[in-house]
Amino acid sequence: MSNLRHWLWLSTRGPAPGMYAARILDHFGTSEEAYFAQRADYRAIPGLPTKVRLALEDKDLTQAEDILTQCRRLGIQILTRQDAAYPRRLGELDTAPCVLYVKGTLPQMDREAAVALVGARDASPYGIMAAGQLGLELARQGVLVVSGSARGIDAAALQGALRGGGQVVSVLGNGIDVIYPAGHQDLYEDVAAAGALVSEYPPGTPPVGAHFPVRNRLIAGLCLGVLVVEGTETSGSLITARWALEQGRDVFAVPGGIDAPLSRGPNGLIRRGEAKLIQDAWDVVEEYQFLY
């Protein structure tokens, strides 16, 4: 239990602590060593922001205790980097979080043909149709569908996969007990029943805008590939595609009309040769036949 408190302490050090946790662990080896280190030890870690270094000097475990209490009350599982259930795909990243919070049953991600479906919140009818149909078809062919929980493409993809009887995982940019957007409680419950809700943020964390671009690295990191359905060239779905490319994941894209603003993102990925053009679920599944 003491060990778990140290993991939780490390996971809450400074802004976007998950982005630097792997670097800190690589330096010290364990969360306990990181906790008991001194100021000079933290200064020896290359590339660590000043705010994170200062946060590491705060040894108060009260927040960790509070998180443990909340997770027990809410039935939220805590996975650390040392746990066998922690996805290896994610743990290999330079920006892997040291702690994951899970509601439901996290599938064995490393054995699954996991594919993320991402896209615009204010999606077009075409995008909603494509996301729902692809989610359903992929689920029926045994693909584990991963997405966020936003309205638009995320919700349509998850709902399609649920209709297809597949396993689903939703990665959140807020605490698992915080329903965002409002009105998605039924979707949260359905996802937890058919798979898992996952977050690197402790219970009670609000959906702050800065969390979502950081969260997108986890969506890409849990999967073999990312499928962009709709999005502008500066959208969060394109950020997820960038993370996927940096992580060596596959990128797929649904083409759209040349006059459709929300198709500029996926069309651009295809034009630059960064994504495979997708017309149906088999275009994705054929890339992962070796897993079937």
Side-chain angles (χ1 to χ4, degrees):
M1 188 61 70
S2 175
N3 178 269
L4 184 52
R5 290 187 180 92
H6 294 140
W7 281 103
L8 294 173
W9 167 83
L10 179 58
S11 73
T12 54
R13 297 303 92 194
M19 293 288 290
Y20 304 100
R23 191 177 307 176
I24 295 167
L25 286 169
D26 286 345
H27 185 83
F28 292 109
T30 68
S31 58
E32 291 99 326
E33 290 291 335
Y35 178 79
F36 289 108
Q38 301 300 315
R39 178 177 298 178
D41 301 318
Y42 299 137
R43 287 179 176 172
I45 305 174
L48 201 63
T50 300
K51 288 184 178 180
V52 177
R53 285 199 184 96
L54 291 174
L56 288 167
E57 294 176 23
D58 180 359
K59 308 297 185 177
D60 188 356
L61 292 174
T62 302
Q63 185 179 9
E65 296 280 3
D66 291 343
I67 292 171
L68 278 173
T69 301
Q70 289 178 295
C71 287
R72 291 192 197 101
R73 178 174 58 83
L74 297 168
I76 294 172
Q77 182 184 7
I78 302 172
L79 288 181
T80 72
R81 288 275 301 275
Q82 69 183 1
D83 293 322
Y86 188 101
R88 189 178 67 253
R89 283 179 196 157
L90 193 59
E92 292 171 349
L93 303 183
D94 292 337
T95 57
C98 59
V99 168
L100 290 176
Y101 300 93
V102 179
K103 182 81 169 182
T105 303
L106 185 66
Q108 294 184 333
M109 301 298 297
D110 300 318
R111 298 184 180 181
E112 298 289 345
V115 174
L117 268 68
V118 299
R121 286 176 169 82
D122 297 319
S124 71
Y126 165 73
I128 296 294
M129 177 279 296
Q133 181 175 320
L134 286 166
L136 183 145
E137 291 176 355
L138 287 169
R140 285 180 173 173
Q141 296 191 51
V143 172
L144 190 160
V145 173
V146 178
S147 193
S149 65
R151 66 180 186 275
I153 299 301
D154 288 7
L158 291 172
Q159 289 162 351
L162 289 166
R163 288 196 302 273
Q167 290 182 302
V168 291
V169 170
S170 182
V171 186
L172 311 177
N174 44 270
I176 288 176
D177 60 326
V178 177
I179 307 300
Y180 178 78
H184 273 201
Q185 182 167 349
D186 288 346
L187 182 60
Y188 269 46
E189 292 174 356
D190 290 344
V191 169
L197 298 164
V198 176
S199 179
E200 65 177 316
Y201 299 103
T205 303
V208 178
H211 290 175
F212 294 94
V214 175
R215 177 279 314 263
N216 291 348
R217 82 192 193 284
L218 306 187
I219 292 179
L222 286 167
C223 298
L224 294 173
V226 169
L227 171 52
V228 180
V229 180
E230 273 190 333
T232 65
E233 292 177 305
T234 58
S235 66
S237 54
L238 266 289
I239 293 173
T240 308
R242 293 288 166 222
W243 278 116
L245 291 169
E246 288 182 17
Q247 296 167 3
R249 303 322 194 223
D250 299 320
V251 178
F252 310 97
V254 175
I258 60 173
D259 60 343
L262 290 177
S263 290
R264 292 186 66 83
N267 285 354
L269 289 169
I270 295 168
R271 176 175 55 82
R272 292 187 296 272
E274 295 171 336
K276 177 182 176 181
L277 187 152
I278 297 301
Q279 297 183 97
D280 57 36
W282 177 250
D283 291 337
V284 176
V285 174
E286 66 178 355
E287 299 291 328
Y288 306 120
Q289 294 182 65
F290 64 93
L291 287 174
Y292 288 83

